[in-house]
Amino acid sequence: MDEFVDRLNPEMYVVTAAAGGERAGCLVGFASQCSLRPVRFVVWLSELNHTFRVARNADLLAVHLLGREQYGLAELFGGHSGDRTDKFQDVRLREAYGGALVLEDAPAWFVGRILTRVGGGDHIGFVLDPVEWGGHEAHDGPLLRLSDAVTIDPGHPVD
């Protein structure tokens, strides 16, 4: 399968969740639109991840695209565990629809209502119904992709 997977270079996303007085966020490479009508999007969160534990109790998730120049933000959300680090301490964010956490510097983002969760190996897919979205029209540079983020050591073990 490596011959196929090694050729992929998907966009990377930061997914944020808030529930039960906790907030969390992580860097995600497994995500995609999964329906045309109605529009649906799925993000896959590792069951080992602090963000997963918060998201399983959430009603909404926020999904953010990053620009290639935002490697530091990607490293913060991908290279540190929310179990030990407050990732939001020095990040510009605001509350959006339903209290979802939106990173203000993201080139594009949306808030999605969680419709269902589905198993898929060591990750759980959260199928989202977009309810609010936005972005910075001024940002027209390249997006952060997997090839840009491969040097980030995960903030939690992958197995």
Side-chain angles (χ1 to χ4, degrees):
M1 190 66 189
D2 289 344
E3 291 81 12
F4 183 87
V5 174
D6 287 349
R7 294 173 185 260
L8 301 177
N9 194 23
E11 292 89 2
M12 300 297 289
Y13 305 87
V14 170
V15 174
T16 59
E22 287 190 87
R23 58 188 188 176
C26 65
L27 188 65
V28 172
F30 302 151
S32 177
Q33 184 175 343
C34 59
S35 175
L36 292 172
R37 290 189 195 98
V39 172
R40 298 289 186 255
F41 198 88
V42 64
V43 294
W44 297 87
L45 301 178
S46 168
E47 293 180 86
L48 300 175
N49 188 309
H50 177 252
T51 303
F52 169 77
R53 293 192 304 276
V54 174
R56 71 181 171 197
N57 296 313
D59 296 321
L60 304 158
L61 297 177
V63 180
H64 309 80
L65 286 167
L66 299 181
R68 186 176 289 155
E69 75 282 1
Q70 293 177 299
Y71 179 88
L73 197 56
E75 201 282 327
L76 173 65
F77 281 93
H80 299 274
S81 171
D83 291 318
R84 297 180 296 277
T85 303
D86 179 0
K87 298 179 189 182
F88 300 96
Q89 182 176 350
D90 296 318
V91 174
R92 291 178 1 107
L93 72 145
R94 67 176 181 82
E95 283 193 18
Y97 181 93
L101 301 174
V102 170
L103 305 179
E104 289 191 0
D105 295 326
W109 58 270
F110 78 92
V111 173
R113 181 179 296 111
I114 300 169
L115 295 178
T116 191
R117 296 162 180 87
V118 61
D122 59 1
H123 284 61
I124 300 295
F126 290 74
V127 179
L128 305 175
D129 172 23
V131 294
E132 184 182 8
W133 48 87
H136 297 288
E137 292 179 18
H139 187 279
D140 62 354
L143 297 175
L144 185 83
R145 295 188 169 275
L146 176 62
S147 61
D148 302 313
V150 294
T151 58
I152 298 173
D153 292 324
H156 65 84
V158 291
D159 50 346

Short mmCIF file of all heavy atoms in Angstrom, two decimals, residues 13-58:
data_model
loop_
_atom_site.label_atom_id
_atom_site.label_comp_id
_atom_site.label_asym_id
_atom_site.label_seq_id
_atom_site.Cartn_x
_atom_site.Cartn_y
_atom_site.Cartn_z
N TYR A 13 -5.03 20.17 8.28
CA TYR A 13 -6.06 20.96 8.93
C TYR A 13 -5.77 21.04 10.43
O TYR A 13 -5.20 20.12 11.00
CB TYR A 13 -7.44 20.30 8.77
CG TYR A 13 -7.82 20.01 7.35
CD1 TYR A 13 -7.45 18.83 6.72
CD2 TYR A 13 -8.57 20.94 6.62
CE1 TYR A 13 -7.80 18.57 5.40
CE2 TYR A 13 -8.93 20.68 5.31
CZ TYR A 13 -8.54 19.49 4.71
OH TYR A 13 -8.90 19.26 3.41
N VAL A 14 -6.21 22.11 11.06
CA VAL A 14 -6.29 22.15 12.51
C VAL A 14 -7.76 22.02 12.85
O VAL A 14 -8.59 22.79 12.35
CB VAL A 14 -5.69 23.44 13.10
CG1 VAL A 14 -6.02 23.54 14.59
CG2 VAL A 14 -4.18 23.46 12.90
N VAL A 15 -8.07 21.03 13.68
CA VAL A 15 -9.44 20.81 14.14
C VAL A 15 -9.50 21.21 15.61
O VAL A 15 -8.64 20.80 16.40
CB VAL A 15 -9.86 19.34 13.96
CG1 VAL A 15 -11.23 19.08 14.56
CG2 VAL A 15 -9.84 18.96 12.49
N THR A 16 -10.49 22.02 15.97
CA THR A 16 -10.67 22.42 17.36
C THR A 16 -12.01 21.92 17.87
O THR A 16 -12.98 21.79 17.12
CB THR A 16 -10.57 23.95 17.53
OG1 THR A 16 -11.57 24.58 16.73
CG2 THR A 16 -9.19 24.46 17.14
N ALA A 17 -12.04 21.65 19.18
CA ALA A 17 -13.25 21.15 19.84
C ALA A 17 -13.36 21.80 21.21
O ALA A 17 -12.34 22.11 21.84
CB ALA A 17 -13.18 19.63 19.99
N ALA A 18 -14.58 21.99 21.65
CA ALA A 18 -14.85 22.49 23.00
C ALA A 18 -16.05 21.75 23.56
O ALA A 18 -17.07 21.62 22.88
CB ALA A 18 -15.11 24.00 22.97
N ALA A 19 -15.89 21.24 24.78
CA ALA A 19 -17.00 20.54 25.44
C ALA A 19 -16.67 20.38 26.92
O ALA A 19 -15.50 20.17 27.28
CB ALA A 19 -17.23 19.17 24.81
N GLY A 20 -17.69 20.47 27.75
CA GLY A 20 -17.51 20.22 29.18
C GLY A 20 -16.47 21.11 29.83
O GLY A 20 -15.76 20.66 30.73
N GLY A 21 -16.33 22.34 29.37
CA GLY A 21 -15.35 23.25 29.94
C GLY A 21 -13.93 23.02 29.46
O GLY A 21 -13.00 23.69 29.91
N GLU A 22 -13.73 22.06 28.56
CA GLU A 22 -12.41 21.79 28.00
C GLU A 22 -12.35 22.28 26.56
O GLU A 22 -13.37 22.32 25.87
CB GLU A 22 -12.11 20.29 27.99
CG GLU A 22 -11.82 19.69 29.34
CD GLU A 22 -11.30 18.27 29.16
OE1 GLU A 22 -10.09 18.09 28.99
OE2 GLU A 22 -12.14 17.35 29.17
N ARG A 23 -11.15 22.61 26.13
CA ARG A 23 -10.94 22.95 24.73
C ARG A 23 -9.71 22.19 24.25
O ARG A 23 -8.80 21.90 25.03
CB ARG A 23 -10.79 24.45 24.54
CG ARG A 23 -9.68 25.08 25.33
CD ARG A 23 -9.74 26.59 25.22
NE ARG A 23 -8.54 27.17 25.84
CZ ARG A 23 -8.26 28.44 25.84
NH1 ARG A 23 -9.09 29.31 25.27
NH2 ARG A 23 -7.16 28.90 26.40
N ALA A 24 -9.73 21.85 22.96
CA ALA A 24 -8.65 21.04 22.41
C ALA A 24 -8.51 21.34 20.93
O ALA A 24 -9.43 21.86 20.30
CB ALA A 24 -8.95 19.55 22.62
N GLY A 25 -7.37 20.98 20.40
CA GLY A 25 -7.14 21.15 18.97
C GLY A 25 -5.96 20.31 18.54
O GLY A 25 -5.05 20.05 19.32
N CYS A 26 -6.00 19.84 17.30
CA CYS A 26 -4.90 19.03 16.78
C CYS A 26 -4.76 19.21 15.28
O CYS A 26 -5.68 19.67 14.60
CB CYS A 26 -5.10 17.56 17.12
SG CYS A 26 -6.52 16.79 16.34
N LEU A 27 -3.58 18.85 14.80
CA LEU A 27 -3.29 18.86 13.37
C LEU A 27 -3.79 17.55 12.78
O LEU A 27 -3.53 16.48 13.31
CB LEU A 27 -1.78 19.00 13.16
CG LEU A 27 -1.29 19.21 11.75
CD1 LEU A 27 -1.78 20.55 11.19
CD2 LEU A 27 0.23 19.13 11.69
N VAL A 28 -4.53 17.65 11.66
CA VAL A 28 -5.17 16.49 11.06
C VAL A 28 -4.81 16.41 9.58
O VAL A 28 -4.88 17.41 8.87
CB VAL A 28 -6.71 16.61 11.21
CG1 VAL A 28 -7.44 15.54 10.43
CG2 VAL A 28 -7.11 16.57 12.67
N GLY A 29 -4.45 15.23 9.15
CA GLY A 29 -4.17 15.00 7.73
C GLY A 29 -5.22 14.14 7.06
O GLY A 29 -5.25 14.03 5.85
N PHE A 30 -6.08 13.50 7.85
CA PHE A 30 -7.13 12.65 7.30
C PHE A 30 -8.44 13.40 7.36
O PHE A 30 -9.09 13.47 8.41
CB PHE A 30 -7.27 11.35 8.10
CG PHE A 30 -6.03 10.50 8.19
CD1 PHE A 30 -5.81 9.69 9.28
CD2 PHE A 30 -5.07 10.51 7.19
CE1 PHE A 30 -4.69 8.91 9.38
CE2 PHE A 30 -3.94 9.73 7.27
CZ PHE A 30 -3.75 8.92 8.38
N ALA A 31 -8.86 13.99 6.24
CA ALA A 31 -10.10 14.76 6.18
C ALA A 31 -10.49 14.94 4.73
O ALA A 31 -9.63 14.99 3.85
CB ALA A 31 -9.92 16.11 6.86
N SER A 32 -11.80 15.06 4.48
CA SER A 32 -12.25 15.23 3.11
C SER A 32 -13.73 15.59 3.07
O SER A 32 -14.50 15.20 3.95
CB SER A 32 -12.05 13.92 2.34
OG SER A 32 -12.54 14.02 1.03
N GLN A 33 -14.11 16.28 2.00
CA GLN A 33 -15.53 16.41 1.71
C GLN A 33 -16.03 15.00 1.41
O GLN A 33 -15.34 14.20 0.76
CB GLN A 33 -15.75 17.31 0.50
CG GLN A 33 -17.19 17.56 0.20
CD GLN A 33 -17.39 18.57 -0.93
OE1 GLN A 33 -16.49 19.32 -1.27
NE2 GLN A 33 -18.58 18.59 -1.48
N CYS A 34 -17.22 14.67 1.89
CA CYS A 34 -17.71 13.30 1.70
C CYS A 34 -19.12 13.26 1.12
O CYS A 34 -19.69 12.18 0.98
CB CYS A 34 -17.61 12.51 3.00
SG CYS A 34 -18.53 13.21 4.38
N SER A 35 -19.69 14.42 0.77
CA SER A 35 -21.01 14.47 0.15
C SER A 35 -21.15 15.80 -0.59
O SER A 35 -20.64 16.82 -0.13
CB SER A 35 -22.11 14.35 1.21
OG SER A 35 -23.39 14.52 0.64
N LEU A 36 -21.84 15.74 -1.74
CA LEU A 36 -22.10 16.96 -2.51
C LEU A 36 -23.37 17.65 -2.08
O LEU A 36 -23.40 18.86 -1.88
CB LEU A 36 -22.19 16.62 -4.01
CG LEU A 36 -20.89 16.17 -4.67
CD1 LEU A 36 -21.18 15.70 -6.09
CD2 LEU A 36 -19.90 17.31 -4.68
N ARG A 37 -24.47 16.90 -2.00
CA ARG A 37 -25.77 17.46 -1.64
C ARG A 37 -26.44 16.55 -0.63
O ARG A 37 -26.87 15.46 -1.02
CB ARG A 37 -26.66 17.59 -2.89
CG ARG A 37 -26.17 18.65 -3.81
CD ARG A 37 -27.18 18.91 -4.92
NE ARG A 37 -26.55 19.68 -5.98
CZ ARG A 37 -26.06 19.16 -7.10
NH1 ARG A 37 -26.14 17.87 -7.32
NH2 ARG A 37 -25.50 19.93 -7.99
N PRO A 38 -26.50 16.93 0.58
CA PRO A 38 -25.96 18.16 1.14
C PRO A 38 -24.45 18.06 1.32
O PRO A 38 -23.90 16.94 1.40
CB PRO A 38 -26.67 18.27 2.50
CG PRO A 38 -26.94 16.85 2.88
CD PRO A 38 -27.21 16.11 1.59
N VAL A 39 -23.80 19.20 1.41
CA VAL A 39 -22.36 19.20 1.63
C VAL A 39 -22.08 18.62 3.00
O VAL A 39 -22.70 19.01 3.99
CB VAL A 39 -21.78 20.63 1.52
CG1 VAL A 39 -20.32 20.66 1.94
CG2 VAL A 39 -21.94 21.17 0.11
N ARG A 40 -21.17 17.67 3.04
CA ARG A 40 -20.71 17.06 4.29
C ARG A 40 -19.19 16.95 4.22
O ARG A 40 -18.61 16.84 3.13
CB ARG A 40 -21.30 15.67 4.51
CG ARG A 40 -22.82 15.65 4.63
CD ARG A 40 -23.27 16.27 5.94
NE ARG A 40 -24.71 16.13 6.12
CZ ARG A 40 -25.58 17.11 5.97
NH1 ARG A 40 -25.19 18.32 5.62
NH2 ARG A 40 -26.87 16.91 6.15
N PHE A 41 -18.55 16.97 5.37
CA PHE A 41 -17.10 16.88 5.47
C PHE A 41 -16.80 15.94 6.62
O PHE A 41 -17.51 15.93 7.62
CB PHE A 41 -16.52 18.28 5.76
CG PHE A 41 -15.06 18.41 5.47
CD1 PHE A 41 -14.61 18.77 4.21
CD2 PHE A 41 -14.12 18.19 6.47
CE1 PHE A 41 -13.26 18.91 3.94
CE2 PHE A 41 -12.77 18.32 6.21
CZ PHE A 41 -12.34 18.68 4.94
N VAL A 42 -15.77 15.12 6.47
CA VAL A 42 -15.39 14.20 7.54
C VAL A 42 -13.96 14.47 7.97
O VAL A 42 -13.09 14.69 7.13
CB VAL A 42 -15.59 12.72 7.13
CG1 VAL A 42 -14.69 12.34 5.97
CG2 VAL A 42 -15.39 11.78 8.31
N VAL A 43 -13.74 14.51 9.28
CA VAL A 43 -12.40 14.60 9.83
C VAL A 43 -12.18 13.37 10.70
O VAL A 43 -13.09 12.92 11.40
CB VAL A 43 -12.16 15.89 10.64
CG1 VAL A 43 -12.22 17.11 9.75
CG2 VAL A 43 -13.13 16.03 11.79
N TRP A 44 -10.98 12.83 10.62
CA TRP A 44 -10.63 11.61 11.34
C TRP A 44 -9.68 11.96 12.48
O TRP A 44 -8.62 12.54 12.25
CB TRP A 44 -10.00 10.61 10.40
CG TRP A 44 -10.93 10.16 9.33
CD1 TRP A 44 -11.16 10.75 8.12
CD2 TRP A 44 -11.80 9.03 9.38
NE1 TRP A 44 -12.11 10.05 7.43
CE2 TRP A 44 -12.52 8.99 8.17
CE3 TRP A 44 -12.04 8.05 10.34
CZ2 TRP A 44 -13.45 8.00 7.89
CZ3 TRP A 44 -12.97 7.06 10.06
CH2 TRP A 44 -13.66 7.05 8.85
N LEU A 45 -10.06 11.62 13.70
CA LEU A 45 -9.26 11.92 14.88
C LEU A 45 -8.77 10.63 15.52
O LEU A 45 -9.54 9.67 15.68
CB LEU A 45 -10.08 12.70 15.90
CG LEU A 45 -10.66 14.04 15.44
CD1 LEU A 45 -11.49 14.68 16.55
CD2 LEU A 45 -9.55 14.98 14.98
N SER A 46 -7.50 10.61 15.89
CA SER A 46 -6.91 9.46 16.57
C SER A 46 -7.55 9.27 17.93
O SER A 46 -7.70 10.23 18.70
CB SER A 46 -5.41 9.67 16.73
OG SER A 46 -4.87 8.69 17.61
N GLU A 47 -7.87 8.04 18.26
CA GLU A 47 -8.46 7.74 19.56
C GLU A 47 -7.48 7.97 20.71
O GLU A 47 -7.89 8.03 21.86
CB GLU A 47 -8.96 6.30 19.59
CG GLU A 47 -10.13 6.06 18.65
CD GLU A 47 -10.62 4.64 18.69
OE1 GLU A 47 -11.46 4.34 19.57
OE2 GLU A 47 -10.17 3.84 17.84
N LEU A 48 -6.19 8.11 20.41
CA LEU A 48 -5.18 8.37 21.43
C LEU A 48 -5.04 9.85 21.76
O LEU A 48 -4.34 10.22 22.70
CB LEU A 48 -3.82 7.85 20.95
CG LEU A 48 -3.73 6.36 20.64
CD1 LEU A 48 -2.36 6.02 20.06
CD2 LEU A 48 -4.02 5.54 21.89
N ASN A 49 -5.72 10.68 21.02
CA ASN A 49 -5.51 12.11 21.02
C ASN A 49 -6.43 12.82 22.03
O ASN A 49 -7.60 12.49 22.17
CB ASN A 49 -5.82 12.58 19.58
CG ASN A 49 -5.49 13.98 19.30
OD1 ASN A 49 -5.89 14.87 20.03
ND2 ASN A 49 -4.79 14.20 18.21
N HIS A 50 -5.89 13.83 22.72
CA HIS A 50 -6.68 14.65 23.64
C HIS A 50 -7.87 15.28 22.92
O HIS A 50 -8.98 15.36 23.47
CB HIS A 50 -5.79 15.73 24.26
CG HIS A 50 -6.51 16.66 25.17
ND1 HIS A 50 -6.77 17.97 24.81
CD2 HIS A 50 -7.05 16.50 26.41
CE1 HIS A 50 -7.44 18.56 25.80
NE2 HIS A 50 -7.61 17.70 26.77
N THR A 51 -7.66 15.73 21.69
CA THR A 51 -8.75 16.34 20.93
C THR A 51 -9.89 15.35 20.72
O THR A 51 -11.06 15.72 20.80
CB THR A 51 -8.24 16.90 19.59
OG1 THR A 51 -7.19 17.82 19.86
CG2 THR A 51 -9.34 17.59 18.82
N PHE A 52 -9.57 14.10 20.46
CA PHE A 52 -10.62 13.08 20.32
C PHE A 52 -11.46 12.99 21.59
O PHE A 52 -12.69 12.94 21.53
CB PHE A 52 -10.02 11.71 19.98
CG PHE A 52 -11.02 10.61 20.09
CD1 PHE A 52 -11.97 10.42 19.09
CD2 PHE A 52 -11.06 9.78 21.21
CE1 PHE A 52 -12.92 9.41 19.20
CE2 PHE A 52 -12.00 8.78 21.32
CZ PHE A 52 -12.94 8.59 20.32
N ARG A 53 -10.80 12.98 22.74
CA ARG A 53 -11.53 12.83 23.99
C ARG A 53 -12.46 14.01 24.25
O ARG A 53 -13.54 13.83 24.80
CB ARG A 53 -10.55 12.62 25.15
CG ARG A 53 -9.82 11.27 25.05
CD ARG A 53 -9.07 10.90 26.31
NE ARG A 53 -8.10 11.88 26.75
CZ ARG A 53 -6.85 11.98 26.29
NH1 ARG A 53 -6.44 11.16 25.33
NH2 ARG A 53 -6.04 12.89 26.78
N VAL A 54 -12.07 15.21 23.84
CA VAL A 54 -12.97 16.36 23.97
C VAL A 54 -14.05 16.30 22.89
O VAL A 54 -15.24 16.51 23.16
CB VAL A 54 -12.17 17.69 23.89
CG1 VAL A 54 -13.12 18.89 23.89
CG2 VAL A 54 -11.19 17.78 25.06
N ALA A 55 -13.66 15.97 21.65
CA ALA A 55 -14.60 15.95 20.52
C ALA A 55 -15.71 14.92 20.70
O ALA A 55 -16.83 15.15 20.25
CB ALA A 55 -13.85 15.68 19.22
N ARG A 56 -15.44 13.82 21.36
CA ARG A 56 -16.50 12.80 21.51
C ARG A 56 -17.65 13.30 22.37
O ARG A 56 -18.74 12.75 22.34
CB ARG A 56 -15.92 11.49 22.05
CG ARG A 56 -15.49 11.54 23.47
CD ARG A 56 -14.90 10.23 23.93
NE ARG A 56 -14.30 10.40 25.24
CZ ARG A 56 -13.45 9.57 25.78
NH1 ARG A 56 -13.08 8.49 25.12
NH2 ARG A 56 -12.96 9.80 26.97
N ASN A 57 -17.42 14.39 23.13
CA ASN A 57 -18.48 15.00 23.93
C ASN A 57 -18.99 16.31 23.35
O ASN A 57 -19.82 16.98 23.95
CB ASN A 57 -17.99 15.23 25.36
CG ASN A 57 -17.67 13.93 26.07
OD1 ASN A 57 -18.45 12.99 26.04
ND2 ASN A 57 -16.50 13.87 26.68
N ALA A 58 -18.47 16.69 22.19
CA ALA A 58 -18.83 17.97 21.57
C ALA A 58 -19.99 17.80 20.59
O ALA A 58 -20.25 16.70 20.10
CB ALA A 58 -17.62 18.54 20.84
#
